[in-house]
Amino acid sequence: MRRYSRITGTGSCLPPRRLTNADLAADLARRGIETSDEWIVERTGIRARHFADAGTNSSDLAVAAARQALDAAGVGPEAIDLVIVATSTPDMVFPSTACIVQHKLSQLSEPARGILGCPAFDVQAVCSGFVYALAVADAMIQAGTARRALVIGAEVFSRILDFDDRTTCVLFGDGGGAVVLEAGDTPGILATDLHADGRHAGILCVPGTVSGGQVLGDPLLKMDGQAVFKLAVGVLDKAARAVLEKAGKTEADIDWLIPHQANIRIMQSTARKLGLGPDRVVVTVDEHGNTSAASIPLALDSAVRTGKVRPGQTVLLEGVGGGFTWGAVLLSM
């Protein structure tokens, strides 16, 4: 009998520090940078975002989101046999944030030490990271390598922002989102579609590295917004249609579109191309900003907990990010 995978629990975590556009504009004004709530909302749809405190790392947000997802799935950490974390802001150069998350989860209670020993690794596909990680976990479950996986997206992008560049620093926030993915006899993940094109690496990147104890290059985020927008709209439409074709579905079968929460204009354009009205698009970018790999699981958890996304519905997840990477997952809840 063929094995499938299905999401059985979702969770999320936002740092308590919430900055409205007015808060951020006031902070930037002290640096001599001018912006406003109206300017940010008009161009992005973002009204607020959350920033982590100095002592909070991606693994902390990941663990908090994972605990919620485990509770929702009705299982403990000891039931997990695969941990994948999508992040571009790891706690360390190495080991992986996933290994750190595994260790922290093992300390919740003595029986939970059963999570130790299972595979744990990071996926780095920037804003497409969660879609990539979900596709990898699905493939491993279908292959029989794992039975119950924690798939997490967690970021502290506030650490890599250039607060002298108002075109990028107003866009991003911090957060974590997680799902429990379990093996089963009925399809949950219906189809996946992943892509990358390294020719476009320069339009969204952090062009720095560590060498000899020093940072070489620039450790802050750089983005060509117009180039990203133009490329994103086209590739997201193609990925969406690819997963629909693989699953034998059409646009009419989509109950909810949960895109990467980067910019309301990109999200609206993608939905229009698929013939989906705004009432079928989950939007959290207004309150979360762009949380990179965390944005899709954060939005999914929000939609589940508010009762928008319900069991049996068909949901299209899609992301696009630096690399240039993009992809989509079609799933039945």
Side-chain angles (χ1 to χ4, degrees):
M1 182 179 295
R2 182 178 174 183
R3 286 166 61 101
Y4 299 96
S5 69
R6 176 178 292 275
I7 292 174
T8 57
T10 66
S12 60
C13 175
L14 291 167
R17 184 185 172 203
R18 178 179 181 269
L19 278 80
T20 65
N21 288 342
D23 295 331
L24 188 57
D27 289 344
L28 293 176
R30 288 189 281 271
R31 302 171 65 95
I33 307 297
E34 292 186 10
T35 191
S36 67
D37 176 67
E38 293 77 14
W39 188 89
I40 299 170
V41 172
E42 179 184 353
R43 288 162 177 78
T44 69
I46 298 169
R47 298 182 182 277
R49 75 287 292 148
H50 292 251
F51 282 177
D53 294 332
T56 300
N57 294 318
S58 289
S59 66
D60 298 309
L61 302 177
V63 168
R67 294 182 69 173
Q68 281 195 1
L70 290 167
D71 287 345
V75 298
E78 70 279 0
I80 298 299
D81 57 10
L82 172 64
V83 181
I84 306 178
V85 175
T87 185
S88 296
T89 52
D91 290 18
M92 306 178 186
V93 173
F94 68 84
S96 69
T97 301
C99 283
I100 297 170
V101 168
Q102 181 193 52
H103 176 225
K104 289 180 177 180
L105 287 174
S106 76
Q107 294 179 311
L108 295 180
S109 62
E110 191 61 33
R113 294 188 180 276
I115 193 175
L116 296 176
C118 77
F121 56 90
D122 289 356
V123 168
Q124 221 292 40
V126 199
C127 303
S128 307
F130 182 77
V131 167
Y132 266 61
L134 198 59
V136 171
D138 172 58
M140 292 180 71
I141 287 176
Q142 287 195 53
T145 308
R147 178 165 182 80
R148 188 176 286 110
L150 258 178
V151 185
I152 307 168
E155 304 281 16
V156 283
F157 252 57
S158 59
R159 310 276 166 82
I160 57 172
L161 299 181
D162 181 355
F163 287 97
D164 289 324
D165 179 7
R166 73 167 182 169
T167 65
T168 58
C169 71
V170 301
L171 302 178
F172 295 90
D174 304 336
V179 301
V180 173
L181 194 67
E182 296 192 28
D185 298 331
T186 57
I189 305 294
L190 305 178
T192 65
D193 189 64
L194 303 178
H195 299 275
D197 188 341
R199 293 176 299 175
H200 304 289
I203 67 174
L204 178 56
C205 60
V206 177
T209 189
V210 177
S211 178
Q214 297 183 350
V215 175
L216 299 185
D218 193 333
L220 301 178
L221 184 145
K222 310 296 177 187
M223 182 174 72
D224 182 340
Q226 289 187 340
V228 169
F229 184 98
K230 182 178 179 181
L231 193 59
V233 172
V235 299
L236 287 175
D237 181 59
K238 290 179 181 178
R241 297 185 188 282
V243 289
L244 288 169
E245 183 177 354
K246 289 179 181 179
K249 303 286 186 179
T250 69
E251 295 91 330
D253 294 310
I254 301 172
D255 292 301
W256 290 100
L257 170 64
I258 305 183
H260 167 49
Q261 308 286 312
N263 182 304
I264 193 64
R265 292 180 176 180
I266 296 176
M267 296 161 63
Q268 290 172 340
S269 180
T270 302
R272 282 195 299 269
K273 284 178 174 287
L274 293 171
L276 301 177
D279 58 329
R280 291 165 67 187
V281 182
V282 174
V283 176
T284 57
V285 70
D286 55 334
E287 282 295 317
H288 298 172
N290 181 348
T291 55
S292 190
S295 78
I296 291 175
L298 274 168
L300 175 61
D301 183 57
S302 174
V304 168
R305 290 178 186 273
T306 57
K308 288 183 177 179
V309 170
R310 301 187 301 276
Q313 291 187 325
T314 300
V315 179
L316 174 62
L317 312 179
E318 55 178 6
V320 60
F324 204 74
T325 64
W326 67 95
V329 174
L330 190 70
L331 57 90
S332 175
M333 293 298 293

